[in-house]
Amino acid sequence: MLAPNRQQPAPPSHNRVPDVTLDFWVIKLMAVTTGETAADYLADTIGLGLTVTSLIMTGILIAALVLQFAQKRYVPWAYWLAVVLISIVGTLVTDNLVDTFGVRLQTTTIAFSVALAATFAVWYASERTLSIHTIFTTRREIFYWLAILLTFALGTAGGDLVAESFDMGYLTTGLLFGGAIALIVLAYWLLNLDGILAFWLAYILTRPLGASFGDLLSRSARYGGLGFGTIFTSLLFLGCIIALVLHMTLKGTTDEADELLLDLD
């Protein structure tokens, strides 16, 4: 007679990043807008300068990512805190290269495109997938956050290239990238564009979309903006992010309680 198998089943794995829903895209767009205006506020309005602001925000981002990695599952406040901070740092990376080191926007756009493509190539070679639905391991999460950082840096460079170097203005630039995202959505629904490819393309393009409207709201009329200022714009979108994250947290708690009750039944 065979002995019973006493090996305990492996604990279920939890995806460490959120599902891609309408809430996800709304809060992501607000996060990139906040990243653009908050970086300008800290570096220019307060007068910390790019170098000091970059060092401070990078240190805070590292602490937030340590906290995020420690969760081992998706926790709304920890995840979106990291996204807002990585949005700020991604903006500062591009701003430092362009403003401090004099690298042209065309060069930074190409360089970040190559770096992002290389990240995806190594990620796929290592994991055989780029899916954001199976971020179960630390290695996959490292690839995920590195890709996120590069999308923000690339989006900043590409958005500034179109808005400033091509002199198209913030509103036109925002509408241009918004139209590109709409085409990706149509290609996904009507032409069966691969979902993972559609996600990452849209994720890259929401950065310049949000940044363009952030600049439109915050910059003075002299520079083609509406003149609301970086403080008001940053606080407005940050408040919306906090409200949405709170909603997500409460909804997640309610869903877990309902599942527990179903299990007990």
Side-chain angles (χ1 to χ4, degrees):
M1 182 177 180
L2 296 176
N5 185 1
R6 299 183 182 278
Q7 184 178 1
Q8 295 296 322
S13 297
H14 296 284
N15 198 17
R16 303 182 186 185
V17 302
D19 293 331
V20 182
T21 61
L22 179 60
D23 286 346
F24 173 91
W25 289 114
V26 170
I27 195 170
K28 197 272 181 177
L29 189 59
M30 291 184 177
V32 300
T33 306
T34 303
E36 176 72 16
T37 57
D40 290 342
Y41 171 71
L42 294 171
D44 299 330
T45 306
I46 291 183
L48 293 178
L50 281 174
T51 301
V52 174
T53 301
S54 299
L55 291 174
I56 292 173
M57 297 312 300
T58 300
I60 297 174
L61 171 61
I62 291 172
L65 286 175
V66 169
L67 187 61
Q68 162 63 23
F69 275 81
Q71 304 305 314
K72 304 301 183 184
R73 63 183 300 167
Y74 170 57
V75 177
W77 68 266
Y79 175 86
W80 289 108
L81 173 63
V83 169
V84 171
L85 290 170
I86 211 168
S87 174
I88 296 173
V89 172
T91 299
L92 291 168
V93 168
T94 298
D95 288 347
N96 270 287
L97 288 173
V98 175
D99 297 336
T100 303
F101 297 102
V103 182
R104 299 175 64 202
L105 283 168
Q106 292 89 335
T107 303
T108 56
T109 301
I110 294 171
F112 286 129
S113 297
V114 172
L116 182 59
T119 298
F120 284 140
V122 176
W123 183 354
Y124 187 81
S126 173
E127 301 294 325
R128 309 311 300 174
T129 179
L130 299 178
S131 175
I132 43 82
H133 304 296
T134 57
I135 309 296
F136 297 149
T137 66
T138 298
R139 183 165 63 180
R140 288 188 182 184
E141 192 172 6
I142 290 172
F143 282 124
Y144 176 86
W145 286 108
L146 178 58
I148 295 298
L149 175 62
L150 290 172
T151 62
F152 282 123
L154 172 59
T156 300
D160 288 349
L161 176 64
V162 173
E164 298 172 12
S165 296
F166 296 165
D167 198 27
M168 295 186 66
Y170 300 122
L171 178 59
T172 303
T173 299
L175 293 175
L176 176 65
F177 283 109
I181 293 171
L183 290 177
I184 292 171
V185 173
L186 289 175
Y188 172 72
W189 286 109
L190 301 180
L191 302 178
N192 295 319
L193 178 66
D194 179 76
I196 301 303
L197 175 60
F199 169 81
W200 284 111
L201 288 175
Y203 203 98
I204 294 169
L205 294 178
T206 51
R207 177 65 185 86
L209 172 63
S212 297
F213 284 108
D215 285 334
L216 177 66
L217 291 171
S218 63
R219 297 293 177 89
S220 67
R222 177 184 176 186
Y223 297 102
L226 298 178
F228 289 111
T230 54
I231 299 176
F232 174 82
T233 306
S234 298
L235 290 178
L236 173 64
F237 284 100
L238 186 59
C240 293
I241 291 171
I242 292 172
L244 282 171
V245 170
L246 181 60
H247 166 72
M248 290 177 177
T249 302
L250 293 175
K251 184 177 182 298
T253 302
T254 302
D255 290 344
E256 289 181 359
D258 290 342
E259 290 177 4
L260 180 59
L261 289 173
L262 289 174
D263 291 340
L264 291 176
D265 291 341

